[in-house]
Amino acid sequence: MRRRDLIAASAVLPAAAAAGPALASSKSGGGSTAAPAFNMSGVGLPVISGGRVRNYVFVSLRLHLGGHATPESMRLKDAFLRDALVRAAHRSPFTVADDWTRLDAAALSASLLRSAAAIAGRGSVTRVEVVSQAPRRRTGVRTG
């Protein structure tokens, strides 16, 4: 994907993600209340293999909130959560052994849950869902 396509997509995706739940709730009639969620988009995480950065994968995440947390309060903590996620990805990469185009979603979710408990308070994030993974390069593992 070209750089300008990534920049254009990063400008459009947050607006579309914010408008989606609002449109769905207005169509449903408001009879049922969904659990609050906060969408994090466009976090670039490295794929490290053999001590070298092989690729970057841009992930979009949805944080399912619990307890006292609201999307507005999590928006204030967004930069801290992103920073913790990127630091964790460099410390112990979420790399899938046989594929450089995707990350281990379970390890990523567990790491962000631990960080969210320290940053936003215990019980503020109940679940982390990986919405999408977009690799910078679409090539897999190169042998040799």
Side-chain angles (χ1 to χ4, degrees):
M1 206 175 213
R2 293 182 309 216
R3 183 176 295 156
R4 74 182 96 158
D5 293 339
L6 285 173
I7 293 169
S10 67
V12 174
L13 285 176
L23 291 175
S25 65
S26 66
K27 290 179 183 178
S28 66
S32 64
T33 58
F38 176 69
N39 293 327
M40 289 177 61
S41 61
V43 179
L45 300 175
V47 175
I48 300 173
S49 177
R52 295 181 57 196
V53 176
R54 303 296 183 164
N55 198 0
Y56 281 93
V57 177
F58 297 89
V59 295
S60 296
L61 304 166
R62 180 173 296 128
L63 306 178
H64 295 270
L65 308 177
H68 59 280
T70 62
E72 292 79 23
S73 68
M74 292 306 289
R75 194 168 293 120
L76 298 174
K77 308 228 188 285
D78 183 34
F80 299 106
L81 292 170
R82 287 173 184 273
D83 181 58
L85 188 61
V86 170
R87 286 177 188 262
H90 280 276
R91 189 172 37 250
S92 59
F94 307 123
T95 306
V96 175
D98 59 344
D99 193 359
W100 291 348
T101 61
R102 62 188 175 95
L103 300 173
D104 184 8
L108 192 146
S109 298
S111 174
L112 190 56
L113 274 175
R114 285 190 302 272
S115 298
I119 293 169
R122 177 172 240 125
S124 60
V125 177
T126 58
R127 186 169 61 104
V128 176
E129 177 184 352
V130 178
V131 177
S132 68
Q133 295 187 28
R136 180 171 176 237
R137 292 188 193 143
R138 305 227 184 268
T139 60
V141 175
R142 284 190 284 182
T143 59

